[in-house]
Amino acid sequence: QLRLVESGGDLVQPGGSLRLSCTVGGFSSGYSAIVWFRQAPGEERAGVSCISHSGATTNYADSVKGRFAISINNAKNTVYLQMNSLKPEDTAVYYCATSRTPHPDICSVDYDKGRVTAWGRGTQVTVSS
């Protein structure tokens, strides 16, 4: 059974930076990508970024391209989301999740409930002056 724990959320001014961490524990058979989602009040959960099982592929939502970067430290079983040039519209609870994939080099930021196998509890990011 997989366990995911997010950390790093905080209050930051517009233009600032944060680095979120997602530590993964446990075991899962097959291939799983790690996906960062976010959900703002009154809005649906949306994919932000993902990294494939192999680490070879990353993808980003259009709204964060060029500002966010996802990376993985396999030795620490941790996936990071570096967020730069933050905007008020980035304010949300950020969740990491594992998502089954048919190939180790595939990942998608599209939210497919049928593929998600585990969720973290989320970490709050607030961008405000």
Side-chain angles (χ1 to χ4, degrees), residues 35-57:
V35 188
W36 281 99
F37 293 91
R38 67 185 181 187
Q39 187 166 21
E43 296 185 12
E44 294 186 353
R45 194 166 295 189
V48 175
S49 182
C50 65
I51 187 164
S52 63
H53 183 95
S54 66
T57 303

Side-chain angles (χ1 to χ4, degrees), residues 1-3 24-32 53 98-100 117-118:
Q1 186 173 355
L2 290 168
R3 301 175 302 277
V24 183
F27 174 78
S28 175
S29 62
Y31 303 125
S32 291
H53 183 95
T98 50
S99 179
R100 289 195 311 271
T117 53

Side-chain angles (χ1 to χ4, degrees), residues 15-33:
S17 298
L18 281 176
R19 188 178 77 161
L20 305 184
S21 300
C22 171
T23 301
V24 183
F27 174 78
S28 175
S29 62
Y31 303 125
S32 291

Side-chain angles (χ1 to χ4, degrees), residues 11-17 84-90 126-129:
L11 169 64
V12 63
Q13 291 187 344
S17 298
N84 300 323
S85 301
L86 283 162
K87 305 175 181 179
E89 50 263 44
D90 294 318
T126 303
V127 184
S128 175
S129 55

Side-chain angles (χ1 to χ4, degrees), residues 6 20 36-38 48 68 83 90 92-95 122-123 125:
E6 305 96 334
L20 305 184
W36 281 99
F37 293 91
R38 67 185 181 187
V48 175
F68 290 12
M83 307 188 295
D90 294 318
V93 178
Y94 284 70
Y95 302 88
T123 185
V125 172

